[in-house]
Amino acid sequence: MPEHAGPLLRPPRHRVDPRARSWWRVQALLTLSGPMLLTALVMAVLSLLFFPSALSWLGPLLLVVLVLPAVGYLVVMPRWRYAVHAWELGDRAVYAAGGWLWQKRRIAPLSRVQTVDTVRGPIQRRYGLATVTVTTASTAGDIKIAGLSCADAEKLSRRIGEVAQDVPGDAA
């Protein structure tokens, strides 16, 4: 073990709602996988109608370049994100982990909390989910905890507000 190694940061305790995987899957269909699959389908149909001989080389190309990556993203991304996304509210700080390729962990002292917002987009509402955004007096940006059940999001928002009021501010 290296001589100057510090303690490892443990993952936050609470997982997001399991329905978040479905929400992320629908997002993927609308933003990346769906358009890729639609493009592959249109190109295959146009090739079949106007250039049938090209399908022998275009079919495998579409499969490798569009179809497999789109399906892979659709299957892997929600599972991976669910394994990473977690949150925790302590006595003095809020801690969140998120991302999938670029994973990020953020800890913000409750004494620096400025606002707490709860957002429910149309797809999130369909799955009974919400995102809690904690804005702090930091240039690092907000802490977003996505994929919470609506009930958990409301409890967390309320609790952060209560705890942040009880935590003394930093002395300037």
Side-chain angles (χ1 to χ4, degrees):
M1 183 169 178
E3 190 175 310
H4 299 287
L8 293 175
L9 186 61
R10 69 165 173 73
R13 294 184 197 274
H14 305 287
R15 290 249 158 257
V16 297
D17 193 284
R19 294 173 291 182
R21 290 180 293 216
S22 298
W23 169 51
W24 289 321
R25 193 169 293 112
V26 170
Q27 279 186 316
L29 272 172
L30 293 173
T31 60
L32 185 70
S33 294
M36 289 174 71
L37 292 169
L38 185 60
T39 301
L41 178 65
V42 168
M43 290 181 74
V45 167
L46 289 175
S47 175
L48 188 61
L49 291 174
F50 298 108
F51 308 103
S53 62
L55 207 50
S56 63
W57 60 267
L58 185 60
L61 181 65
L62 291 174
L63 185 69
V64 169
V65 173
L66 292 173
V67 174
L68 291 178
V71 171
Y73 182 75
L74 200 57
V75 170
V76 172
M77 180 274 298
R79 291 178 185 169
W80 199 335
R81 282 182 83 172
Y82 183 75
V84 173
H85 278 67
W87 62 276
E88 185 173 338
L89 177 61
D91 293 336
R92 302 189 63 78
V94 61
Y95 177 22
W100 70 285
L101 282 181
W102 285 268
Q103 296 177 7
K104 178 166 63 170
R105 289 187 178 170
R106 295 260 332 263
I107 298 174
L110 290 170
S111 63
R112 307 286 291 186
V113 169
Q114 293 181 331
T115 62
V116 180
D117 301 307
T118 302
V119 177
R120 292 176 196 92
I123 301 170
Q124 283 180 308
R125 283 194 307 268
R126 163 69 178 87
Y127 290 99
L129 300 172
T131 298
V132 172
T133 303
V134 181
T135 306
T136 63
S138 166
T139 58
D142 303 334
I143 293 180
K144 291 189 183 206
I145 306 169
L148 297 174
S149 71
C150 288
D152 286 346
E154 287 301 322
K155 286 180 200 170
L156 179 62
S157 294
R158 193 175 312 111
R159 186 73 185 125
I160 289 173
E162 291 168 358
V163 174
Q165 286 180 356
D166 295 339
V167 174
D170 293 338

Short mmCIF file of all heavy atoms in Angstrom, two decimals, residues 129-163:
data_model
loop_
_atom_site.label_atom_id
_atom_site.label_comp_id
_atom_site.label_asym_id
_atom_site.label_seq_id
_atom_site.Cartn_x
_atom_site.Cartn_y
_atom_site.Cartn_z
N LEU A 129 -41.10 9.15 -10.95
CA LEU A 129 -39.76 9.52 -10.52
C LEU A 129 -39.57 11.03 -10.49
O LEU A 129 -40.37 11.78 -11.06
CB LEU A 129 -38.71 8.91 -11.47
CG LEU A 129 -38.71 7.39 -11.58
CD1 LEU A 129 -37.78 6.93 -12.68
CD2 LEU A 129 -38.32 6.77 -10.25
N ALA A 130 -38.51 11.46 -9.85
CA ALA A 130 -38.16 12.88 -9.78
C ALA A 130 -36.65 13.03 -9.64
O ALA A 130 -35.94 12.07 -9.32
CB ALA A 130 -38.87 13.54 -8.61
N THR A 131 -36.19 14.25 -9.89
CA THR A 131 -34.78 14.60 -9.71
C THR A 131 -34.69 15.72 -8.69
O THR A 131 -35.40 16.72 -8.80
CB THR A 131 -34.14 15.07 -11.03
OG1 THR A 131 -34.19 14.00 -11.98
CG2 THR A 131 -32.69 15.50 -10.84
N VAL A 132 -33.83 15.55 -7.70
CA VAL A 132 -33.58 16.59 -6.70
C VAL A 132 -32.27 17.27 -7.06
O VAL A 132 -31.25 16.60 -7.25
CB VAL A 132 -33.52 16.00 -5.27
CG1 VAL A 132 -33.07 17.06 -4.27
CG2 VAL A 132 -34.86 15.42 -4.88
N THR A 133 -32.31 18.59 -7.17
CA THR A 133 -31.12 19.38 -7.47
C THR A 133 -30.79 20.25 -6.28
O THR A 133 -31.64 21.04 -5.84
CB THR A 133 -31.33 20.26 -8.72
OG1 THR A 133 -31.71 19.42 -9.82
CG2 THR A 133 -30.06 21.01 -9.08
N VAL A 134 -29.58 20.10 -5.76
CA VAL A 134 -29.12 20.88 -4.62
C VAL A 134 -28.11 21.90 -5.13
O VAL A 134 -27.05 21.53 -5.64
CB VAL A 134 -28.46 19.98 -3.55
CG1 VAL A 134 -28.01 20.80 -2.35
CG2 VAL A 134 -29.41 18.87 -3.12
N THR A 135 -28.49 23.17 -5.04
CA THR A 135 -27.61 24.25 -5.48
C THR A 135 -26.84 24.75 -4.27
O THR A 135 -27.44 25.04 -3.23
CB THR A 135 -28.42 25.40 -6.11
OG1 THR A 135 -29.24 24.87 -7.14
CG2 THR A 135 -27.51 26.46 -6.69
N THR A 136 -25.53 24.84 -4.45
CA THR A 136 -24.68 25.28 -3.34
C THR A 136 -23.91 26.53 -3.74
O THR A 136 -23.88 26.90 -4.91
CB THR A 136 -23.66 24.19 -2.96
OG1 THR A 136 -22.80 23.95 -4.08
CG2 THR A 136 -24.35 22.91 -2.55
N ALA A 137 -23.29 27.14 -2.76
CA ALA A 137 -22.43 28.29 -3.00
C ALA A 137 -21.06 27.77 -3.43
O ALA A 137 -20.07 27.92 -2.74
CB ALA A 137 -22.33 29.14 -1.75
N SER A 138 -21.03 27.13 -4.59
CA SER A 138 -19.80 26.52 -5.09
C SER A 138 -19.72 26.72 -6.59
O SER A 138 -20.74 26.71 -7.28
CB SER A 138 -19.81 25.02 -4.78
OG SER A 138 -18.81 24.36 -5.50
N THR A 139 -18.53 26.88 -7.09
CA THR A 139 -18.35 27.00 -8.55
C THR A 139 -18.37 25.63 -9.22
O THR A 139 -18.39 25.55 -10.44
CB THR A 139 -17.02 27.70 -8.87
OG1 THR A 139 -15.94 26.95 -8.28
CG2 THR A 139 -17.01 29.12 -8.34
N ALA A 140 -18.38 24.56 -8.44
CA ALA A 140 -18.38 23.20 -9.01
C ALA A 140 -19.74 22.82 -9.59
O ALA A 140 -19.84 21.83 -10.29
CB ALA A 140 -17.94 22.19 -7.96
N GLY A 141 -20.77 23.59 -9.29
CA GLY A 141 -22.09 23.31 -9.84
C GLY A 141 -23.01 22.62 -8.86
O GLY A 141 -22.69 22.42 -7.69
N ASP A 142 -24.18 22.27 -9.39
CA ASP A 142 -25.21 21.64 -8.58
C ASP A 142 -24.93 20.17 -8.34
O ASP A 142 -24.18 19.55 -9.07
CB ASP A 142 -26.57 21.74 -9.31
CG ASP A 142 -26.95 23.16 -9.65
OD1 ASP A 142 -26.49 24.08 -8.95
OD2 ASP A 142 -27.71 23.34 -10.62
N ILE A 143 -25.60 19.64 -7.33
CA ILE A 143 -25.62 18.20 -7.11
C ILE A 143 -27.01 17.74 -7.55
O ILE A 143 -28.02 18.24 -7.06
CB ILE A 143 -25.39 17.84 -5.63
CG1 ILE A 143 -23.97 18.20 -5.22
CG2 ILE A 143 -25.68 16.37 -5.38
CD1 ILE A 143 -23.65 17.89 -3.79
N LYS A 144 -27.04 16.79 -8.49
CA LYS A 144 -28.30 16.27 -8.97
C LYS A 144 -28.42 14.81 -8.56
O LYS A 144 -27.52 14.02 -8.79
CB LYS A 144 -28.40 16.38 -10.49
CG LYS A 144 -28.52 17.80 -10.94
CD LYS A 144 -28.84 17.91 -12.40
CE LYS A 144 -28.87 19.37 -12.76
NZ LYS A 144 -29.67 19.68 -13.87
N ILE A 145 -29.56 14.51 -7.96
CA ILE A 145 -29.86 13.13 -7.57
C ILE A 145 -31.08 12.73 -8.41
O ILE A 145 -32.20 13.11 -8.10
CB ILE A 145 -30.13 13.01 -6.06
CG1 ILE A 145 -28.96 13.59 -5.26
CG2 ILE A 145 -30.40 11.56 -5.69
CD1 ILE A 145 -29.25 13.75 -3.78
N ALA A 146 -30.82 12.02 -9.49
CA ALA A 146 -31.87 11.66 -10.45
C ALA A 146 -32.35 10.24 -10.19
O ALA A 146 -31.59 9.38 -9.74
CB ALA A 146 -31.34 11.77 -11.87
N GLY A 147 -33.63 10.00 -10.50
CA GLY A 147 -34.16 8.65 -10.41
C GLY A 147 -34.74 8.29 -9.05
O GLY A 147 -34.88 7.12 -8.73
N LEU A 148 -35.13 9.30 -8.27
CA LEU A 148 -35.76 9.03 -6.98
C LEU A 148 -37.26 8.87 -7.17
O LEU A 148 -37.84 9.49 -8.06
CB LEU A 148 -35.52 10.19 -6.01
CG LEU A 148 -34.08 10.49 -5.62
CD1 LEU A 148 -34.02 11.76 -4.78
CD2 LEU A 148 -33.50 9.32 -4.86
N SER A 149 -37.88 8.07 -6.34
CA SER A 149 -39.35 8.02 -6.36
C SER A 149 -39.84 9.41 -5.94
O SER A 149 -39.14 10.14 -5.23
CB SER A 149 -39.88 6.96 -5.40
OG SER A 149 -39.69 7.36 -4.06
N CYS A 150 -41.03 9.78 -6.37
CA CYS A 150 -41.57 11.11 -6.03
C CYS A 150 -41.63 11.31 -4.52
O CYS A 150 -41.29 12.38 -4.01
CB CYS A 150 -42.94 11.31 -6.67
SG CYS A 150 -42.87 11.52 -8.46
N ALA A 151 -42.04 10.27 -3.80
CA ALA A 151 -42.14 10.36 -2.34
C ALA A 151 -40.75 10.56 -1.72
O ALA A 151 -40.58 11.41 -0.84
CB ALA A 151 -42.79 9.10 -1.77
N ASP A 152 -39.76 9.80 -2.18
CA ASP A 152 -38.40 9.95 -1.66
C ASP A 152 -37.83 11.33 -1.99
O ASP A 152 -37.13 11.94 -1.18
CB ASP A 152 -37.47 8.87 -2.21
CG ASP A 152 -37.71 7.51 -1.59
OD1 ASP A 152 -38.41 7.44 -0.55
OD2 ASP A 152 -37.21 6.51 -2.14
N ALA A 153 -38.13 11.83 -3.18
CA ALA A 153 -37.64 13.15 -3.59
C ALA A 153 -38.22 14.24 -2.70
O ALA A 153 -37.49 15.16 -2.27
CB ALA A 153 -37.98 13.41 -5.06
N GLU A 154 -39.50 14.15 -2.41
CA GLU A 154 -40.13 15.14 -1.54
C GLU A 154 -39.55 15.08 -0.13
O GLU A 154 -39.24 16.11 0.47
CB GLU A 154 -41.65 14.94 -1.49
CG GLU A 154 -42.36 15.36 -2.75
CD GLU A 154 -42.16 16.82 -3.11
OE1 GLU A 154 -42.13 17.69 -2.19
OE2 GLU A 154 -42.00 17.10 -4.31
N LYS A 155 -39.39 13.87 0.40
CA LYS A 155 -38.81 13.72 1.74
C LYS A 155 -37.39 14.26 1.78
O LYS A 155 -37.00 14.96 2.72
CB LYS A 155 -38.80 12.24 2.15
CG LYS A 155 -40.14 11.68 2.52
CD LYS A 155 -40.00 10.21 2.89
CE LYS A 155 -41.31 9.47 2.80
NZ LYS A 155 -41.15 8.03 2.92
N LEU A 156 -36.59 13.90 0.75
CA LEU A 156 -35.19 14.35 0.70
C LEU A 156 -35.11 15.86 0.60
O LEU A 156 -34.33 16.50 1.32
CB LEU A 156 -34.45 13.69 -0.46
CG LEU A 156 -32.99 14.08 -0.64
CD1 LEU A 156 -32.17 13.67 0.59
CD2 LEU A 156 -32.42 13.44 -1.90
N SER A 157 -35.91 16.47 -0.27
CA SER A 157 -35.90 17.93 -0.42
C SER A 157 -36.24 18.61 0.91
O SER A 157 -35.57 19.55 1.33
CB SER A 157 -36.91 18.37 -1.48
OG SER A 157 -36.54 17.91 -2.73
N ARG A 158 -37.30 18.13 1.53
CA ARG A 158 -37.73 18.70 2.81
C ARG A 158 -36.63 18.54 3.86
O ARG A 158 -36.30 19.47 4.59
CB ARG A 158 -39.02 18.03 3.26
CG ARG A 158 -39.72 18.75 4.39
CD ARG A 158 -41.07 18.15 4.77
NE ARG A 158 -41.93 17.90 3.63
CZ ARG A 158 -42.26 16.67 3.19
NH1 ARG A 158 -41.80 15.61 3.81
NH2 ARG A 158 -43.05 16.51 2.15
N ARG A 159 -36.07 17.35 3.92
CA ARG A 159 -35.04 17.06 4.94
C ARG A 159 -33.78 17.90 4.71
O ARG A 159 -33.21 18.41 5.67
CB ARG A 159 -34.71 15.56 4.92
CG ARG A 159 -33.76 15.14 6.00
CD ARG A 159 -34.45 15.13 7.37
NE ARG A 159 -33.46 14.83 8.37
CZ ARG A 159 -33.19 15.58 9.42
NH1 ARG A 159 -33.89 16.66 9.65
NH2 ARG A 159 -32.25 15.25 10.26
N ILE A 160 -33.35 18.05 3.46
CA ILE A 160 -32.17 18.88 3.17
C ILE A 160 -32.44 20.31 3.62
O ILE A 160 -31.59 20.95 4.24
CB ILE A 160 -31.78 18.83 1.68
CG1 ILE A 160 -31.20 17.46 1.33
CG2 ILE A 160 -30.76 19.92 1.35
CD1 ILE A 160 -30.95 17.26 -0.15
N GLY A 161 -33.63 20.82 3.31
CA GLY A 161 -33.99 22.17 3.74
C GLY A 161 -33.95 22.33 5.24
O GLY A 161 -33.42 23.30 5.77
N GLU A 162 -34.50 21.35 5.96
CA GLU A 162 -34.51 21.40 7.42
C GLU A 162 -33.10 21.33 7.99
O GLU A 162 -32.72 22.12 8.86
CB GLU A 162 -35.35 20.25 7.98
CG GLU A 162 -36.82 20.36 7.73
CD GLU A 162 -37.58 19.07 8.04
OE1 GLU A 162 -36.94 18.05 8.42
OE2 GLU A 162 -38.81 19.07 7.90
N VAL A 163 -32.32 20.37 7.50
CA VAL A 163 -30.97 20.17 8.02
C VAL A 163 -30.08 21.36 7.67
O VAL A 163 -29.28 21.81 8.49
CB VAL A 163 -30.36 18.84 7.51
CG1 VAL A 163 -28.92 18.70 7.92
CG2 VAL A 163 -31.17 17.66 8.02
#
